[in-house]
Amino acid sequence: MKTMRKLILFIGVVLLSVSTLVAQPKVVAHRGHWDVENGAHNSISSLYRAYEARVYGTEFDVWMTADGELVVFHDDKINGLPIAKTNYAELREQKISNGELLPTLDNFLIIAKNFPEMRLILEIKSNIAGEEYAKTLSEAVIEKVEAHNLAYRTDYIAFNLDICKHIAKIRPSANIAYLNGDVEPAELKEWGINGIDYSHSVMFKDLDMVKRAHDNGLSVNVWTVNDPSMMRKLIDAGVDYITTDKPVLLQQIIREFHNSNIKK
């Protein structure tokens, strides 16, 4: 009988440990792992370094040029040239802050194939209004991702609600999260959008939104979290993902949080 009690107690401890581990958020490197020597947002080198850091996923931003080429960059202008209103021929020799050439989405995805364990969190950027443009842009991005056979590990995020709705409609099995922070999870669920990806400034005003999202079957990501105390609070709140400029720091804090829970 004593042996049986010990066995049951041991199994309980193991199950508690496993559940605690599973509950920890996954780490997403914001615009790659760029906060290093000679780093740059959305650079090819930041993609390599995100993989070296063994993050769950790397987030990056995609624009469409005036003639339909897809490029990886955060801002709407590069060296004063508005990306969405400029042909790619005028952009191809532009360099980002670390001296690398502006990468195309093709460039980026070709390199990403070398890192099959790392998830790709693709933000679709747009500053041109209208549902038709949103459809054209989102379909161009999806077509490119699928041409590289990377749809199985690519998640889509966008501030533009029309883009999110359209992807949910044409690729209902895809992971798509809305960024703007102004729509309730239940409403997003009605449109087939299966994740919220809200800023920490939004989430800390209403941490109960984590539960509302989960109750509606939506995943929860929070960006861009670089403060250790915020990281700990979000881990405790049960978010699924945290996007950060400090992925190595976040990994360390998650390990510490997990170990402290195991000891309790």
Side-chain angles (χ1 to χ4, degrees):
M1 183 64 72
K2 288 183 178 179
T3 302
M4 181 62 70
R5 287 198 190 105
K6 288 180 179 178
L7 179 60
I8 292 171
L9 179 61
F10 174 75
I11 291 172
V13 170
V14 170
L15 290 175
L16 178 61
S17 300
V18 170
S19 65
T20 302
L21 178 62
V22 171
Q24 303 311 308
K26 295 178 174 64
V27 177
V28 176
H30 182 232
R31 306 176 197 167
H33 185 19
W34 58 267
D35 191 20
V36 292
E37 185 178 356
N38 200 38
H41 296 179
N42 289 311
S43 60
I44 295 296
S45 60
S46 75
L47 181 60
Y48 277 103
R49 284 165 170 161
Y51 174 73
E52 290 170 355
R54 296 297 188 264
V55 297
Y56 167 80
T58 187
E59 183 264 354
F60 57 102
D61 306 286
V62 175
W63 290 88
M64 187 165 68
T65 67
D67 54 346
E69 183 64 77
L70 297 166
V71 297
V72 179
F73 198 68
H74 177 265
D75 296 347
D76 61 345
K77 295 179 181 178
I78 179 168
N79 302 325
L81 296 172
I83 294 174
K85 296 180 180 179
T86 306
N87 289 335
Y88 179 63
E90 299 178 63
L91 297 170
R92 66 187 310 154
E93 299 301 323
Q94 296 299 315
K95 293 183 178 181
I96 60 178
S97 63
N98 68 346
E100 293 180 27
L101 289 173
L102 173 69
T104 64
L105 182 56
D106 274 319
N107 299 149
F108 211 81
L109 296 179
I110 287 169
I111 299 299
K113 288 181 181 181
N114 295 310
F115 314 130
E117 302 89 357
M118 187 166 65
R119 197 102 188 143
L120 304 175
I121 318 299
L122 191 162
E123 180 178 342
I124 302 176
K125 306 285 281 188
S126 173
N127 57 4
I128 297 177
E131 288 186 30
E132 287 307 311
Y133 185 80
K135 290 178 181 179
T136 299
L137 173 57
S138 54
E139 288 173 10
V141 169
I142 289 172
E143 181 180 330
K144 186 69 70 177
V145 170
E146 292 179 350
H148 285 275
N149 297 313
L150 287 170
Y152 73 98
R153 61 183 176 99
T154 300
D155 301 337
Y156 301 100
I157 59 177
F159 283 94
N160 185 315
L161 189 54
D162 288 331
I163 288 174
C164 294
K165 287 180 180 179
H166 189 60
I167 294 177
K169 180 179 179 181
I170 64 174
R171 293 294 186 276
S173 63
N175 290 329
I176 173 71
Y178 180 57
L179 286 163
N180 209 43
D182 57 352
V183 180
E184 272 292 314
E187 191 171 2
L188 293 173
K189 180 182 179 181
E190 292 179 5
W191 294 320
I193 297 166
N194 52 25
I196 61 170
D197 194 342
Y198 288 173
S199 72
H200 62 73
S201 61
V202 170
M203 294 302 295
F204 276 110
K205 291 176 183 175
D206 183 11
L207 275 177
D208 288 340
M209 189 180 293
V210 176
K211 183 179 186 304
R212 297 200 300 277
H214 286 161
D215 287 348
N216 281 281
L218 274 66
S219 63
V220 179
N221 184 39
V222 184
W223 57 271
T224 299
V225 185
N226 298 325
D227 178 75
S229 64
M230 284 187 179
M231 292 174 179
R232 294 185 184 96
K233 289 175 183 176
L234 291 170
I235 295 167
D236 196 45
V239 303
D240 303 296
Y241 312 95
I242 297 175
T243 296
T244 180
D245 296 323
K246 310 283 185 183
V248 175
L249 172 62
L250 177 55
Q251 289 168 329
Q252 177 185 339
I253 287 174
I254 289 173
R255 285 193 297 270
E256 292 171 355
F257 189 92
H258 169 65
N259 291 337
S260 67
N261 280 353
I262 292 297
K263 291 176 184 177
K264 289 179 181 178

